Amino acid sequence: MKLWNSLKIAFAMYSKIPVCKADWEKEKMPYVLCCFPLVGVVIGLLVYAWYLLAGRFAIGDLMRAAGAVMIPVFVTGGIHLDGFLDTMDAWHSYQPKEEKLRILSDPHTGAFAVIGTVGLFICNLGIWSDLSQESVACLLPGFVLSRALSGFSVAVFPCAKNTGLASMFQSVAHRKTVAVVCVMEAVAVTGVLVFLSPLRCICMVLAAVGTLLFYRQLARKQFGGITGDLAGWFLQTCECVMAFAVWLGDTVWFS
């Protein structure tokens, strides 16, 4: 029952997919982060369906890429993108940690948030429009991998404050169970990637782990720990870096 309730909360919180009513009592949501990567499964399937549709109707590469970039935003409602925006503003404010944490919760959008988000979309659009079909297929499990690592980080990394989504989910989660399950999910995705393309798998896993380590260092040094906004920044950045790594691998190994 707790697992089913955690699944419903994961989709209600991290997607716009309609779900039946969930029980939001803290003791009944210990496995939300374990279920979080399943949202990535839905996104991957929808992007795959979009590419099949685009191939059927001979839609151009740029429009295919635009669909691949926007589908995750539509499915999630932009919750992770919101964290990316807030983090960019706070990070580049060059203020003390306390002020950066305040900026994270500020509803106003600053210049660095806009610059960073425009740059993120331009990079994603350029990368996806230049990927081979084989590379696109490898990136689809990446939506699961990024969420498995994000869930792992919330379970393991220290939080910067005692309020907010990250702190709340960390406090109610069975942290050891969540960490182990998220690692197992990441390993399972890696197995799928090895089957699809070992070389591209190496690119993606190195990019994802490297981004995770950078995220941990950034959170510790700049903010004193992670927050929900920083977790959103990590997810958006991780997916972009994985896509770039696969594109770079194609350029080096498969050109």
Side-chain angles (χ1 to χ4, degrees), residues 50-183:
W50 164 247
Y51 267 79
L52 289 179
L53 184 68
R56 173 68 176 81
F57 292 99
I59 295 174
D61 290 342
L62 190 59
M63 194 62 189
R64 293 189 195 193
V69 172
M70 292 307 301
I71 284 172
V73 180
F74 293 145
V75 173
T76 63
I79 184 171
H80 309 299
L81 192 60
D82 177 71
F84 181 90
L85 282 157
D86 291 339
T87 300
M88 292 301 291
D89 264 343
W91 180 12
H92 294 287
S93 68
Y94 300 102
Q95 298 295 317
K97 291 178 182 178
E98 294 75 15
E99 180 64 13
K100 288 176 181 175
L101 291 174
R102 187 200 66 78
I103 293 173
L104 285 178
S105 59
D106 191 333
H108 298 93
T109 301
F112 286 106
V114 175
I115 293 169
T117 304
V118 170
L120 178 72
F121 276 104
I122 290 175
C123 288
N124 276 326
L125 186 62
I127 292 167
W128 278 85
S129 65
D130 202 32
L131 291 173
S132 64
Q133 290 184 351
E134 293 81 3
S135 293
V136 169
C138 287
L139 283 176
L140 300 183
F143 295 111
V144 181
L145 180 58
S146 62
R147 284 161 176 79
L149 294 178
S150 181
F152 173 82
S153 74
V154 174
V156 174
F157 297 170
C159 284
K161 53 185 181 178
N162 296 323
T163 58
L165 281 178
S167 178
M168 187 269 288
F169 280 124
Q170 190 177 87
S171 66
V172 302
H174 293 169
R175 294 174 63 178
K176 289 184 179 180
T177 301
V178 169
V180 170
V181 171
C182 287
V183 169

Side-chain angles (χ1 to χ4, degrees), residues 37 41 138-148 182-196 201 204-205 242:
V41 174
C138 287
L139 283 176
L140 300 183
F143 295 111
V144 181
L145 180 58
S146 62
R147 284 161 176 79
C182 287
V183 169
M184 292 174 62
E185 290 169 334
V187 170
V189 171
T190 302
V192 173
L193 291 171
V194 169
F195 174 77
L196 292 173
C201 173
M204 287 185 64
V205 170
M242 284 192 295

Side-chain angles (χ1 to χ4, degrees), residues 13 17-19 21 34-35 51 56 59 62 66-67 139-140 142 169-170 174 185 211 222 240-241 252:
M13 176 64 68
I17 300 171
V19 295
K21 186 177 181 180
C34 298
C35 301
Y51 267 79
R56 173 68 176 81
I59 295 174
L62 190 59
L139 283 176
L140 300 183
F169 280 124
Q170 190 177 87
H174 293 169
E185 290 169 334
T211 306
Q222 299 290 334
C240 182
V241 173
V252 174

